[in-house]
Amino acid sequence: MRLLLAAAALALPMFPATAAAQEWIRVGGNDQLSAYVDATSIFPSNGKTVATTFSGYAKALGDTPIWFTAVKIEYNCKANQFRTLEYTYYDKAGNSLGTEASFTINETRTVTPGSIDETFFKYACTKQGGVPVQNPFTDSRTRLSN
């Protein structure tokens, strides 16, 4: 995974220090992943919907220090499609490792039924379902601890 270190130092993180401005909803997961959407981040944009999702993992991703990711995604709710706009990576302690534009920003993908992408899509497009949580870092750690 690419981390743009110079840009990351200047980038504003998608997960502000104060969670008061956010309303995290756990929308799914399993024993390896907890999935969330920030309900306050959902907004219309040029006939589409933009939202910030968040994932916590049971272990680091590959050979990286990444335990959590926040992803800004643009959804085409009518066409059942999405594209990723931006990633922010976090270490096990929840410290930001940087933010970067998605390398697939120009790719539009169709939502796969039964996938975690479908879970995010459904909440972003309908704002239905899910369980409110105070903090997705803490909730992920609790749900995924061995």
Side-chain angles (χ1 to χ4, degrees), residues 4 29 78-79 85 97 117 134 144:
L4 304 176
K78 292 179 183 176
L85 305 175
L97 298 171
D117 292 324
Q134 289 293 314
L144 302 173

Side-chain angles (χ1 to χ4, degrees), residues 97-112:
L97 298 171
T99 298
E100 65 182 4
S102 172
F103 66 93
T104 60
I105 195 166
N106 294 318
E107 293 178 24
T108 300
R109 294 180 275 172
T110 300
V111 176
T112 303

Side-chain angles (χ1 to χ4, degrees), residues 51-86:
T52 298
T53 66
F54 183 90
S55 298
Y57 306 98
K59 58 185 179 180
L61 296 178
D63 291 333
T64 72
I66 299 168
W67 283 73
F68 304 95
T69 57
V71 184
K72 187 182 290 185
I73 303 174
E74 178 187 76
Y75 295 98
N76 183 331
C77 298
K78 292 179 183 176
N80 203 38
Q81 296 177 325
F82 70 99
R83 68 186 182 111
T84 56
L85 305 175
E86 184 177 86

